[in-house]
Amino acid sequence: MFTIHPTARLRPSPFYDAVVAEGMTAASIYNRMIMPTSFGDPEAEYWRIINGVSQWDVGCERQVQIKGPDAGRLAQILSPRDLSKCKVGQGKYVPLCNHQGTIINDPILLKLADDLYWFSIADSDIWVWARAIAAERGLDVEVSEPDVSPMAIQGPKGEDVVASVFGDWVREVRYFWFRETEIEGIPVAVQRSGWSKQGGFEIYLRDGSKGTKLWNIFKEAGKPFGIGPGAPATAERTESGLVSVGGDTDAETSPFDVRLEKYVDLDVADDVVGIAALREIKRNGPRRHQLGMILEGDVPAPLGFAWEEIRAGGRKIGDMTNCVWSRRMNANIGYALVSVEAAPGDSVEVMRDTGGTAAKLVELPFL
Ligand code: THG
């Protein structure tokens, strides 16, 4: 249909050659990088994540490295989740908010040393933000984007594949914890994580010149387990209730609106960015909340580029922020960001291109 022009603004991941060789057929743009989204067989790609093991180029999950005597202070100032108990070798899911309490990113934070952290970010420019806050607060840190690129091994057989490469110690790694190691001389960090609820690991490549080699080590090791290429899957993440910041959120969305309240500690220090606003939002009660929705119809009808209006009784109550066909539920499912007056069980109407479509609001996750 068209090609994407290479420019220095739009960076390929170190796994680019490998995924082209795998037959990448579709991609998205994430952190100004090319992120593969399909290899031409969406059905097989989906079931591989659910029942088998899938290999993903998620090099676009960039690391924002914070290094120096004030690294721990800056990490905490950037995040309203209490990090005081985070240990070296541990990762934590941490919302980042601006001064209005709007969620601007939802990274996994990796603590590599007392003076060294990585924010493994979602799709927004956090190094800009981190440098600005560090400078304004007069902190002694260096903020950079190191040569680190994750590759995900996701699905119920992912642990077997990763254990066959590194050894059985990986089976003892706890959720979001990680270990630095190497394989065939390639430096990596191995973490139990990944943007699905089907289990698995992420291998953080620490030498961008070794992408194809690392990809092929796992491609080979995965053969007995039926590994194949895949990508973060909208269907799986929606069924599982994972949030996509920037997709399911807008410039007014707080962590409370999208079910991330348990990652916000309102008693962190007053100098944490956005904490005063978050306390205020909590005191007043959020205006919106995120629910699931099941739409009528038996033909896949995914969301396009824009949110779609949701109405109840003819009046706008919010927006549908994503929509995808669920092969396990045999229905189009989506997320509703709606007034707190709307509740699971309510019947609503989504204003689609094809006309009003009936839908029911439900609790998340779906599965
Ligand atoms: N892996 C790495 N970096 C990432 C992502 C990833 N950066 C971008 C994006 N994904 C960050 N967002 C998320 C969102 C949710 C989860 C992980 C990263 C997640 N959440 C679980 C849940 O919500 O059930 C568990 C959270 C918890 O309980 O701590 O896994 O995938 N490297």
Side-chain angles (χ1 to χ4, degrees), residues 162-176:
V162 176
S164 76
V165 171
F166 293 106
D168 275 332
W169 61 264
V170 303
R171 299 186 192 280
E172 312 304 323
V173 173
R174 283 175 281 165
Y175 194 56
F176 282 167

Side-chain angles (χ1 to χ4, degrees), residues 237-251:
R237 77 95 177 172
T238 304
E239 292 164 342
S240 298
L242 292 173
V243 174
S244 172
V245 167
D248 303 323
T249 65
D250 64 11

Side-chain angles (χ1 to χ4, degrees), residues 250-272:
D250 64 11
E252 317 303 328
T253 309
S254 81
F256 306 121
D257 298 346
V258 286
R259 300 175 297 121
L260 300 180
E261 179 162 359
K262 64 178 174 212
Y263 309 113
V264 173
D265 295 302
L266 289 173
D267 51 8
V268 292
D270 293 346
D271 64 358
V272 171

Side-chain angles (χ1 to χ4, degrees), residues 52-118:
V53 53
S54 180
Q55 185 174 10
W56 304 353
D57 169 6
V58 283
C60 61
E61 295 167 350
R62 300 317 288 167
Q63 311 307 301
V64 174
Q65 175 169 292
I66 300 177
K67 189 173 172 31
D70 289 333
R73 275 201 68 204
L74 179 60
Q76 181 63 81
I77 283 170
L78 292 174
S79 168
R81 182 170 186 181
D82 179 13
L83 302 177
S84 61
K85 296 195 178 66
C86 186
K87 303 270 197 316
V88 172
Q90 191 175 8
K92 270 178 181 287
Y93 181 44
V94 297
L96 306 187
C97 293
N98 68 12
H99 300 79
Q100 287 75 50
T102 296
I103 185 163
I104 59 168
N105 204 294
D106 64 333
I108 296 172
L109 177 69
L110 290 81
K111 182 173 181 178
L112 291 107
D114 285 325
D115 64 350
L116 181 62
Y117 293 79
W118 290 344

Side-chain angles (χ1 to χ4, degrees), residues 108-231:
I108 296 172
L109 177 69
L110 290 81
K111 182 173 181 178
L112 291 107
D114 285 325
D115 64 350
L116 181 62
Y117 293 79
W118 290 344
F119 282 107
S120 182
I121 59 168
D123 186 16
S124 63
D125 283 321
I126 293 306
W127 70 266
V128 178
W129 175 252
R131 276 194 193 175
I133 302 288
E136 296 285 326
R137 303 286 175 100
L139 298 176
D140 184 2
V141 291
E142 218 177 89
V143 175
S144 63
E145 187 187 285
D147 175 11
V148 177
S149 306
M151 177 186 74
I153 305 293
Q154 294 291 293
K157 298 180 183 165
E159 181 174 303
D160 289 335
V161 173
V162 176
S164 76
V165 171
F166 293 106
D168 275 332
W169 61 264
V170 303
R171 299 186 192 280
E172 312 304 323
V173 173
R174 283 175 281 165
Y175 194 56
F176 282 167
W177 287 67
F178 63 93
R179 191 194 280 189
E180 295 174 74
T181 180
E182 54 173 59
I183 180 72
E184 297 183 23
I186 308 171
V188 295
V190 179
Q191 183 180 39
R192 189 185 292 276
S193 57
W195 207 56
S196 84
K197 293 297 260 185
Q198 308 310 316
F201 288 78
E202 287 175 300
I203 318 301
Y204 293 69
L205 170 64
R206 306 187 67 164
D207 175 351
S209 72
K210 300 285 179 3
T212 301
K213 188 172 175 197
L214 186 70
W215 183 275
N216 288 333
I217 289 171
F218 281 85
K219 184 179 162 80
E220 274 306 309
K223 272 189 182 145
F225 304 95
I227 203 168

